[in-house]
Amino acid sequence: MDLMDSMDSVTDYVRIAQSITIDASRERVFDFVSDFRNDRQWRPEIRRVELRGPLVIGTQLVQDAKVFGFFSLSVLSEVVEFEPGRRLVTRTPADYGAHIFNVRAVEELSVDVVRFVYELSFDRAAVKKALRVALPAGVVSTFYGAAVRRYLGTVKRLVEEA
């Protein structure tokens, strides 16, 4: 498993960016990771996903999660970039009260070998919204970075075995 791990954290902001190499076509990987209904298969905290329209720039989505198994969190995001087969970016609206930014990108390395890049950025307000307490960014980066590594391993397994 080829896993890039680059986590930047400062006092009030967390950025986790990781990637994994997957033996599958770019289209197959992108189709899987851009279908938010599939998130429940590789992100175990996700309980419900509601996509409010077709996947285009401006479409909103709501994801309900159970953080640490007992904190409920509902996140409203909107698609801000969409390049079919290659890149999908979502972020919370300006009036959400917490900044959450997600990038899902698929880069073709060779025939049927791609790199899936997953990036998640969020501010201290998002941590407090999820956990009811604002933990230091370094603690959140370490914990959630490990979770993202597991997520990517699951995506690799699911797509390669399909």
Side-chain angles (χ1 to χ4, degrees), residues 4-8 15-19 149:
M4 174 204 57
D5 181 7
S6 124
M7 290 181 268
D8 298 328
R15 178 181 170 267
I16 300 167
Q18 298 184 10
S19 70
R149 280 191 295 280

Side-chain angles (χ1 to χ4, degrees), residues 9-15 99 122-127 134-138:
S9 63
V10 293
T11 307
D12 292 329
Y13 194 78
V14 176
R15 178 181 170 267
H99 174 264
F122 48 91
D123 63 9
R124 188 176 205 127
V127 174
L135 295 175

